[in-house]
Structure formats: structure tokens, C-alpha cells
Amino acid sequence: MLEVHDAPQEDPILRRLAALLLTTAALAACGQSETSQDPLQVAETLEAAKPALSPAQNAALPGSVTPGGSFTEGDTTLKFQVNGRDVELDRLRSAVFEMTKDDKGAETRGTGLRAGDGATNAVPDRYGRLLVVDTRGGEFLAFSINPLIMRQRYPVPGTPYGIAYDAKRDIAWITLTERNEVVGLDVAGGEPAEKHRFPTVRQPNTVSVDQETGRVTVTSGDNGGVQVISP
């Protein structure tokens, strides 16, 4: 007589484990472009961070203000010379890269580090570091070069965007576009320390500093004026 056997039952534990592995793989795939082998590209579509749309400025403004002020968005890649080496800030990937040469002598990207959630602007300092503002993350970052290491990370709430560096006084000036303010951080020590904070013209997208006098110039991005402050 032909014996009939029941079909083997699937182990429920193995079934759940297989489902978990499939879910994990799907989530990992969502975080990276299928067409890119770049480990710092975490999305299929990359977009540079933007300054906040500033509210009207009603506070009394220090210094002198003259009419005007405009803004042009920079390139998605910013290039710097830091500590004798070529460095790039990639706004799309929010990352800092050291540049190197390939076997044919062509310049190519070497070591790279994530620079917060949406780095937009940077400036070298006299200590051989690149000072970076993370606009999306609301942070100030400092990277040493060769080797590439993050040395400082400090919160600056208010959608930081513009940055300038006073090498004589070791002050990094950062505009806060969400608050219409500019803040001055002493970056000479192991951790940044706030030394100055002033209300600014509306939409303070750019800032510069006179290396001799220390005067700070903040420029509006939408014709809100050009402000000169003597800290």
C-alpha cells in the first residue's frame, strides 16, 4: 500500500527571520543611490541646503546700514587651500574631501568625511583647519586636514549660513538667517566660545570681516541693506 505523508510544515521562526532580513535589505537600499558607489551619497536626489527665509527685522541695529544687498547662490562644490593641501566642500553630499592625485597625475577626491546634515559654507583658519557651517543641522564644525579629522562641533541654532574668519582675533563670524543675527565665536581654544552676538539686517546671507580693524560687514540677500559693525 502506498503511504501518504503530510507535507513538512514551514518553521515559523525561520519565516519571521527571512522577513526581517528582507525588510532590512529594503531599508538599506532606500538610503543609497542604485547608480552611485559613493558611500557619502545617501539619497538618489541630492539638494544643497538653503538659508532660511528671514522674518522682518524690527530690532535696533548696531553700526551703520546703507541701502542695497543681493545674493547669488554659490557652486555646489567649494574649493579651499588648507594646511598646504587642496580641500573641497561638497554641498550636495554635505561632506569635506581632501584632494589627491591618481596614478595618471589627475586630481581626484581622497579621504572624505560627513559634515553634518547640510553644510553650505566654509573658511580656512590659521590653525590649518576648515571651519564649516551646517545649515540644516544648526552647527559649527571644524576639520583638521592631513589627516582629515573633525576637531570641533558646536551648536549655533537659527539656521547658520554665512561665515567669515578674523585671523587676528581668532573669531569665526556666522550669520543666523532664521533670526537676523550674526554671532562671533572664539575658535582658538579646544571648544568654541561665543564672544559676540548682534542683530542684523534682514536676510543676512553673507558676512565678511576686515582683518586689520575687525569690522564686520553683513549683507542682506534681498535688498535689506549692508551693515557694518565694529565689535
Side-chain angles (χ1 to χ4, degrees):
M1 176 180 291
L2 180 65
E3 295 183 2
V4 178
H5 298 278
D6 293 337
Q9 297 296 313
E10 184 178 358
D11 190 327
I13 295 178
L14 292 178
R15 187 169 62 251
R16 288 197 296 270
L17 178 59
L20 176 61
L21 291 174
L22 287 173
T23 301
T24 303
L27 289 174
C30 290
Q32 190 170 4
S33 167
E34 294 179 357
T35 59
S36 173
Q37 299 303 314
D38 183 351
L40 292 180
Q41 181 168 331
V42 296
E44 182 71 33
T45 302
L46 301 177
E47 183 178 357
K50 305 289 185 182
L53 293 177
S54 301
Q57 179 57 280
N58 298 317
L61 301 182
S64 62
V65 179
T66 56
S70 62
F71 174 68
T72 301
E73 186 70 36
D75 294 336
T76 57
T77 299
L78 304 183
K79 301 177 183 293
F80 305 93
Q81 268 272 328
V82 185
N83 201 22
R85 296 180 64 94
D86 292 327
V87 180
E88 289 187 355
L89 173 64
D90 188 329
R91 288 171 151 179
L92 296 180
R93 288 168 177 78
S94 189
V96 175
F97 292 92
E98 285 189 328
M99 305 304 293
T100 185
K101 302 284 186 180
D102 63 17
D103 55 2
K104 296 181 180 179
E107 190 174 55
T108 186
R109 285 180 170 177
T111 303
L113 279 181
R114 178 74 61 202
D117 297 324
T120 51
N121 289 297
V123 64
D125 74 0
R126 69 186 183 96
Y127 299 103
R129 301 175 301 188
L130 186 67
L131 310 182
V132 180
V133 286
D134 175 10
T135 297
R136 286 197 186 105
E139 291 185 315
F140 164 83
L141 310 170
F143 294 86
S144 63
I145 307 301
N146 193 26
L148 181 59
I149 300 173
M150 183 188 293
R151 295 293 187 182
Q152 294 181 344
R153 190 169 191 171
Y154 188 79
V156 279
T159 316
Y161 191 76
I163 185 170
Y165 173 66
D166 184 340
K168 189 173 182 178
R169 299 159 188 84
D170 285 321
I171 300 293
W173 290 97
I174 301 171
T175 63
L176 307 178
T177 54
E178 188 178 346
R179 299 182 175 183
N180 290 330
E181 290 180 341
V182 63
V183 61
L185 301 180
D186 185 336
V187 296
E191 181 177 333
E194 183 176 324
K195 294 297 183 182
H196 306 282
R197 184 179 290 263
F198 301 105
T200 66
V201 291
R202 185 184 69 252
Q203 201 61 53
N205 287 1
T206 56
V207 60
S208 62
V209 59
D210 186 300
Q211 298 295 321
E212 290 301 319
T213 65
R215 284 194 298 266
V216 178
T217 300
V218 179
T219 304
S220 167
D222 64 355
N223 201 36
V226 178
Q227 178 183 9
V228 179
I229 305 169
S230 296

